[in-house]
Amino acid sequence: GENVEQHPSTLSVQEGDSAVIKCTYSDSASNYFPWYKQELGKGPQLIIDIRSNVGEKKDQRIAVTLNKTAKHFSLHITETQPEDSAVYFCAASINTGGFKTIFGAGTRLFVKA
Amino acid sequence: EADIYQTPRYLVIGTGKKITLECSQTMGHDKMYWYQQDPGMELHLIHYSYGVNSTEKGDLSSESTVSRIRTEHFPLTLESARPSHTSQYLCASSRSSSANYGYTFGSGTRLTVV
């Protein structure tokens, strides 16, 4: 079945620096890759997503890249701010008749002021 | 602004009690899910539903049960709570389409069984 590996598990950056979180997936049939941000005491919130027919997508300070050949995708956050501190999850989704979504284990991002 | 609501936010109960965690969404989503989140952050799918009268078990074995009598409501029930059920429970929903879409999560219920 599908497996999603996420690295690193913890990431600490200085305010203003960039942060990169990487994920790999195993099933080449996966075609949808969302990213979620979970702040303390809240549920995960969808922040950006990318479909398999697109290589890169950007929304202000966040961007996601997808390499289908290598089966990996990454989240890039530029000009980090303390409010970016949270847990980030990647996910890979495949249409199996129903839709199956597999989440990565999460990355805890700390942005130091 | 939350369109998916979970109650209660926090619950402390004694062993052996029956409890129901409520989840409701106002978006008309057909697909709904329950996840258990452990202290290490990982999300484990315990139940899902693709519509009214449709329920399936997820990847993580769970002693809980769910029902889906109305599109907007997807409650989770534990018949006899145990300390091993102590966890964060997250409900989510997604729209139905021929394509995949992301999930909308509730704020979660943090359950402690003493």
Side-chain angles (χ1 to χ4, degrees):
Chain A
E2 174 70 287
N3 185 48
V4 176
E5 302 271 349
Q6 183 171 348
H7 300 281
S9 56
T10 305
L11 178 60
S12 184
V13 300
Q14 203 67 37
E15 182 178 2
D17 288 350
S18 294
V20 180
I21 301 170
K22 298 181 179 181
C23 290
T24 60
Y25 60 98
S26 59
D27 194 329
S28 57
S30 294
N31 59 5
Y32 176 67
F33 306 91
W35 286 88
Y36 295 85
K37 175 184 181 182
Q38 185 175 22
E39 297 177 85
L40 198 62
K42 298 183 180 181
Q45 180 182 10
L46 179 69
I47 56 172
I48 195 168
D49 57 12
I50 192 167
R51 299 190 183 277
S52 57
N53 59 346
V54 176
E56 184 174 358
K57 185 176 179 180
K58 190 174 181 180
D59 183 4
Q60 299 183 335
R61 294 188 298 107
I62 60 172
V64 58
T65 59
L66 171 65
N67 183 327
K68 286 191 297 182
T69 303
K71 288 189 281 189
H72 66 68
F73 56 114
S74 300
L75 178 71
H76 305 253
I77 306 173
T78 58
E79 300 172 26
T80 54
Q81 300 166 5
E83 51 265 39
D84 294 329
S85 297
V87 176
Y88 291 82
F89 293 95
C90 65
S93 189
I94 180 173
N95 184 352
T96 59
F99 294 110
K100 191 168 180 67
T101 295
I102 305 297
F103 285 88
T107 295
R108 197 176 296 274
L109 173 65
F110 298 95
V111 180
K112 296 175 287 187
Chain B
E1 186 175 336
D3 294 312
I4 183 164
Y5 305 93
Q6 289 187 246
T7 56
R9 286 295 312 276
Y10 303 94
L11 180 61
V12 181
I13 61 165
T15 298
K17 298 290 186 183
K18 177 180 178 179
I19 57 165
T20 296
L21 308 185
E22 301 288 347
C23 177
S24 294
Q25 50 97 3
T26 58
M27 297 170 285
H29 287 172
D30 283 330
K31 297 174 184 168
M32 296 190 74
Y33 315 84
W34 276 103
Y35 283 85
Q36 189 171 336
Q37 185 169 34
D38 60 31
M41 304 181 299
E42 281 197 60
L43 298 164
H44 302 284
L45 180 66
I46 51 175
H47 296 283
Y48 61 97
S49 167
Y50 286 159
V52 171
N53 295 325
S54 152
T55 61
E56 302 285 347
K57 288 188 180 294
D59 304 318
L60 181 68
S61 175
S62 173
E63 293 161 347
S64 58
T65 59
V66 292
S67 62
R68 190 87 184 276
I69 299 172
R70 302 196 320 264
T71 297
E72 62 271 21
H73 194 214
F74 191 41
L76 180 145
T77 298
L78 278 167
E79 291 291 334
S80 180
R82 295 209 299 266
S84 61
H85 296 138
T86 294
S87 190
Q88 165 95 319
Y89 292 85
L90 290 163
C91 180
S93 69
S94 66
R95 57 185 283 193
S96 288
S97 169
S98 57
N100 272 324
Y101 285 91
Y103 293 2
T104 301
F105 281 89
S107 295
T109 293
R110 184 163 296 281
L111 173 66
T112 303
V113 183
V114 297

